DNA sequence: CGAGTTACGCTACGACCCGTAGCGAAAGAG
DNA sequence: CTCTTTCGCTACGGGTCGTAGCGTAACTCG
């Protein structure tokens, strides 16, 4: 069992032969997203992606070992556009990032692919790690940034100094991340209702004031 | 295009011939869950389920049109065990249901199947409706019940009378449901960390007091 | 420029799964 | 007993999988 040679992001530096075409890379990932929109995850096939991208099926397998990894990479780039503009207050910042993430999840290619690869990752540790580094970490930094800003504004208490304070802060960030991302995903995919401004406001109010504040 | 004949839950009353074996039904659903644990969603095949259940493949297709619908039914029964014991206070009630739902999602057959069928439901409206009636509604009633109890205890403000109050209450229940279920799902499947008593307590504290209460 | 190395397209392949059809036998309803 | 439906079995065409082999294209290095 030799380690795999392929894997798109790392064409292995110091090569000497013909380099891989980045244009081909892009064409494949674009075709993957387009196919996801049209046929969904279950009926997506490597053959169809190859045809849509105008590429030989063997070229696909030289870069990605299977459908899961290909789709993770195809969807991961969509998460690069997430940002946290400073809107001047914690609640406004939360609503902003909620709306951004909601809009991202509303796109059919994201919606249909994200849960599918997450489901596969429950029986594939390598895939889970790939998802974590390619997707999850890109979101988590937004929580960290928003929390720091709120602490500087005095809207949230500062971290307790020392190692136990750092642990508590880390746990808090993990909790907040799961709550925000989880709620948006659940509303979009399970409840199948939109993440609009009204919902974002209601949700951020719940986060800031607790259940009693909902009226 | 004649309407399908199969579909397990409705063998169509008033029949005259040989009835379907409920024992066969149970064997198939059991085999489906067992196979999910072993091979996961992606590599689960109808053929393997048939072999495990000791049943002909054609018998499977007489009852379920495809893998998605079979798995939904196989997993749905697991949600019947969810309850909301009265622990005397809102926070304790929340922690109880969070731990129950967390334990349910920790089971590998639930974990690997739930997200997969949700992903498929994004391109299959019939499947989404099946999931809603078979799984989602079973959880939502817990939120309704817990909210009523808390209002009777005076822990939450009562509903505003009139139609606009009912609308607000309905929205609040939907929001709370998405937040609780979403957070648990996200922590279990994406963050891949356990839903234990400590987390349940931290989470319920966040829900009751807001972000500032986390310390 | 030439030699070496790698990527690419193409074809073909065995293996597997899909979903259906057709048959005879089994099991209940009336 | 008769009618009806289920069930197991076999067989089938169609599709996808992932790989191998080959000739060619593209780039690097000496």
């Amino acid at each position: 069992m030799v380690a795999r040679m392929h894997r798109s992001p790392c064409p292995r530096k110091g090569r000497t032969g013909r380099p891989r075409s980045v244009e081909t890379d892009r064409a494949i990932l674009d075709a993957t997203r387009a196919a996801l929109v049209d046929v969904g995850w279950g009926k997506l096939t490597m053959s169809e992606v190859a045809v849509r991208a105008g590429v030989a099926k063997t070229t696909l397998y030289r870069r990605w070992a299977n459908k899961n990894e290909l789709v993770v990479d195809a969807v991961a780039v969509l998460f690069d556009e997430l940002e946290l503009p400073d809107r001047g207050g914690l609640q406004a910042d939360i609503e902003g990032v909620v709306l951004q993430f909601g809009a991202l999840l509303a796109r059919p290619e994201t919606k249909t692919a994200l849960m599918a690869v997450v489901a596969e990752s429950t029986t594939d540790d390598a895939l889970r790690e790939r998802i974590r580094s390619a997707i999850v970490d890109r979101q988590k930094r937004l929580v960290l940034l928003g929390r720091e800003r709120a602490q500087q504004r005095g809207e949230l208490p500062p971290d307790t100094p020392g190692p136990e304070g750092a642990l508590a802060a880390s746990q808090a960030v993990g909790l907040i991340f799961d709550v925000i991302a989880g709620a948006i995903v659940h509303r979009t995919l399970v409840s199948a209702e939109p993440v609009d401004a009204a919902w974002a406001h209601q949700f951020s109010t719940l986060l800031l004031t607790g259940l009693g504040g909902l009226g």
Side-chain angles (χ1 to χ4, degrees), chain A:
Chain A
M1 282 298 177
V2 183
R4 294 300 188 133
M5 298 291 180
H6 29 74
R7 199 50 32 81
S8 167
C10 45
R12 195 200 284 172
K13 52 190 71 173
R15 281 302 186 72
T16 162
R18 170 179 176 177
R20 286 187 177 168
S21 163
V22 293
E23 185 181 336
T24 298
D25 264 339
R26 209 183 48 78
I28 293 173
L29 296 178
D30 288 350
T32 303
R33 284 188 294 271
L36 274 172
V37 175
D38 287 350
V39 304
W41 162 267
K43 296 181 180 173
L44 180 70
T45 67
M46 299 292 264
S47 307
E48 178 167 357
V49 172
V51 172
R52 283 183 187 243
V55 159
K57 194 175 61 168
T58 45
T59 300
L60 274 181
Y61 282 103
R62 287 194 187 98
R63 308 180 183 215
W64 292 275
N66 52 52
K67 192 169 92 171
N68 293 330
E69 312 216 342
L70 168 62
V71 170
V72 171
D73 284 357
V75 175
V77 298
L78 299 175
F79 288 79
D80 286 335
E81 65 194 37
L82 289 178
E83 290 178 4
L84 184 64
D86 193 335
R87 296 189 171 193
L90 177 54
Q91 178 153 19
D93 281 2
I94 292 178
E95 289 181 25
V97 76
V98 164
L99 286 174
Q100 271 193 47
F101 191 40
L104 179 58
L105 268 188
R107 300 171 65 166
E109 65 270 32
T110 319
K111 177 186 302 192
T112 194
L114 195 58
M115 287 301 94
V117 293
V118 167
E120 290 300 310
S121 75
T122 61
T123 53
D124 184 340
D125 290 338
L127 183 62
R128 171 180 299 149
E129 201 46 45
R130 197 182 183 84
I131 293 174
R132 185 193 308 278
S133 63
I135 296 180
V136 175
D137 288 347
R138 283 190 169 83
Q139 306 167 47
K140 212 161 190 171
R141 73 178 205 283
L142 301 178
V143 175
L144 276 166
L145 180 57
R147 190 164 177 273
E148 284 176 13
R149 276 191 201 155
Q151 287 175 330
Q152 288 175 353
R153 294 193 198 104
E155 294 169 311
L156 288 178
D159 290 357
T160 311
E164 69 281 357
L167 176 63
S170 169
Q171 283 183 346
V173 169
L175 173 63
I176 296 166
F177 175 62
D178 284 331
V179 170
I180 294 180
I184 297 170
V185 168
H186 201 274
R187 178 168 175 90
T188 303
L189 295 186
V190 180
S191 298
E193 289 173 42
V195 175
D196 52 18
W199 188 83
H201 183 72
Q202 199 181 18
F203 176 49
S204 64
T205 303
L206 170 63
L207 275 182
L208 289 174
T209 66
L211 283 174
L214 286 181

